Amino acid sequence: MYLAELEIFGFKSFPQKTVFKFSGGITALVGPNGCGKTNIVDAIRWVLGEQKSSVLRSDTMDNVIFNGTTLRRPLGMAEVNMKIENTRNILPTEYSEVNITRRIFRSGDSNYLLNKTKCRMKDIHELFMDTGMGSDSYSVIELKMVEAILSGKVEERRHLFEEAAGITKYKQRRKEAGNKLNRVKEDLDRVRDIVAEISKNVGTLGRQASKTKRYNLLLSELKVLEMDLLKHEFYEFNSKIKEFDLVHQGIESQIIQYSNNLEVADSQYNLLKETFSSVEANYLSTQENEKLLNTDFTNKNRDIAVAEEKKKSLISAQERIRIEI
């Protein structure tokens, strides 16, 4: 297994796609200070899953994206692709060529690709565990790390030796199994506490259960009695409904009879109304005739009175003439 190719785009001082091919033997990168040689090591650490920005000599993780210069605009993402030849099947995969890709965007989103398929960072770590390759393994050692290894803590040197011996995976699995056992123990302690709490309430729950049984028995008896009561009331209501139906039929027959009588009365009323109208017309006509007759009678009386006066005058004139004769 060996590093075959490293492709960097937008990572730190690499604004354009740069490809490094590593063939058999020793490959050396030579250049003046500040030309970006260490950025290549940082790119390898980063694509292998390094999460500490301080190790990558940056304040924040998004600072690894090319920030631009006076002649180039800043980029929106950084991508590193590393190709590994797995000829001796040291990596636990069936592929003879493994491509690992990591991308990060200025929005904060990032993703990992394993042979151009999305994966988790945990999958990358598990793939290189106990192989000597990794973001913090002995395969990537900077100049300042040599002094740190020699003068550092025993735990740090032990980590490198364990990685070289190939027992890191088993220690990690042991740690995960220990964590699972601790969680199971915590769950068992909680279960014991729950059992102890429930055992205290068993007596109370037993009494409540007996009361519940008695309640259910009485409730079933109550339902039977309520059903009987409902049946009795149903029969009574049915008999009353039949009586009310008979009364209703009698009332309907009376209503029909009253309706027929009302129709006869209406016809009689209409006939009387017509007769009354005729009589009223005759009465009005007679009243008019009476007025005419009264007027004529008054005129005749006046003429009679005038004739009587004339008669008296003539009689007195006749008597006077007779006396004169």
Side-chain angles (χ1 to χ4, degrees):
M1 179 184 72
Y2 66 91
L3 176 61
E5 184 178 303
L6 183 67
E7 181 182 304
I8 305 174
F9 170 68
F11 184 85
K12 286 194 173 182
S13 58
F14 295 92
Q16 60 189 10
K17 184 180 292 187
T18 305
V19 180
F20 298 92
K21 294 185 179 295
F22 302 92
S23 58
I26 297 175
T27 300
L29 299 175
V30 182
N33 292 336
C35 68
K37 298 187 298 297
T38 311
N39 291 340
I40 299 174
V41 179
D42 292 340
I44 295 175
R45 284 184 177 277
W46 185 70
V47 75
L48 289 175
E50 181 60 59
Q51 294 298 309
K52 295 180 181 179
S53 58
S54 59
V55 177
L56 302 173
R57 300 174 296 123
S58 297
D59 296 332
T60 57
M61 188 58 73
D62 58 352
N63 282 343
V64 302
I65 304 175
F66 179 71
N67 285 323
T69 63
T70 56
L71 300 177
R72 288 181 178 271
R73 294 183 300 175
L75 299 179
M77 64 164 287
E79 177 180 332
V80 176
N81 180 38
M82 185 171 66
K83 182 189 296 184
I84 297 173
E85 294 292 339
N86 187 31
T87 54
R88 292 188 295 173
N89 295 325
I90 295 177
L91 295 178
T93 178
E94 66 274 12
Y95 298 103
S96 59
E97 184 179 281
V98 179
N99 284 281
I100 303 163
T101 307
R102 183 178 181 180
R103 297 188 186 121
I104 186 171
F105 301 88
R106 290 198 181 274
S107 61
D109 297 333
S110 63
N111 51 56
Y112 291 86
L113 300 176
L114 182 58
N115 287 341
K116 298 183 180 181
T117 302
K118 280 190 176 183
C119 65
R120 302 170 299 174
M121 181 181 65
K122 181 180 179 181
D123 299 329
I124 303 296
H125 287 170
E126 290 180 352
L127 180 66
F128 290 101
M129 193 174 292
D130 292 339
T131 61
M133 293 189 65
S135 59
D136 57 350
S137 64
Y138 62 86
S139 61
V140 183
I141 298 177
E142 301 176 12
L143 182 61
K144 64 180 180 179
M145 290 178 62
V146 177
E147 183 180 356
I149 293 171
L150 296 176
S151 62
K153 297 180 182 180
V154 178
E155 291 79 6
E156 295 178 356
R157 291 198 295 270
R158 180 183 298 171
H159 176 72
L160 291 177
F161 295 146
E162 289 175 351
E163 182 74 22
I167 62 174
T168 305
K169 181 185 296 183
Y170 302 103
K171 289 191 68 176
Q172 182 67 25
R173 291 177 181 175
R174 179 184 175 185
K175 183 179 178 181
E176 292 177 356
N179 293 332
K180 289 182 180 179
L181 286 175
N182 291 331
R183 289 194 294 270
V184 170
K185 288 179 180 178
E186 292 176 357
D187 293 338
L188 285 175
D189 291 336
R190 285 195 295 270
V191 169
R192 290 192 187 97
D193 294 337
I194 294 171
V195 170
E197 185 67 26
I198 291 174
S199 61
K200 295 178 182 179
N201 299 327
V202 168
T204 304
L205 294 174
R207 290 190 295 270
Q208 291 178 357
S210 61
K211 289 181 181 179
T212 302
K213 289 180 181 179
R214 179 172 174 76
Y215 169 77
N216 291 330
L217 181 61
L218 294 175
L219 183 63
S220 61
E221 293 178 357
L222 178 62
K223 287 182 179 179
V224 172
L225 293 174
E226 286 180 346
M227 289 296 293
D228 293 338
L229 178 62
L230 290 174
K231 288 179 181 178
H232 178 70
E233 291 179 350
F234 177 74
Y235 292 138
E236 284 188 351
F237 288 151
N238 275 339
S239 61
K240 288 182 179 179
I241 288 172
K242 290 179 181 178
E243 294 177 0
F244 289 152
D245 286 337
L246 294 175
V247 174
H248 179 69
Q249 291 175 1
I251 292 172
E252 282 186 346
S253 61
Q254 290 179 359
I255 290 173
I256 293 171
Q257 184 178 357
Y258 291 152
S259 297
N260 295 330
N261 294 334
L262 181 62
E263 290 179 357
V264 174
D266 284 338
S267 61
Q268 292 178 354
Y269 170 74
N270 292 328
L271 181 61
L272 291 174
K273 189 175 180 181
E274 292 176 358
T275 305
F276 175 76
S277 298
S278 177
V279 171
E280 188 177 15
N282 293 330
Y283 171 74
L284 292 175
S285 177
T286 304
Q287 212 173 22
E288 291 293 329
N289 293 330
E290 183 182 6
K291 287 180 181 179
L292 293 175
L293 291 174
N294 285 332
T295 302
D296 187 41
F297 178 74
T298 300
N299 293 330
K300 295 296 183 181
N301 284 334
R302 187 175 58 250
D303 293 339
I304 290 172
V306 172
E308 287 291 335
E309 288 296 328
K310 286 181 179 182
K311 180 180 178 181
K312 288 179 180 180
S313 176
L314 290 173
I315 290 173
S316 62
Q318 183 180 9
E319 184 65 26
R320 181 176 54 78
I321 292 172
R322 187 180 64 78
I323 293 173
E324 288 179 357
I325 294 174

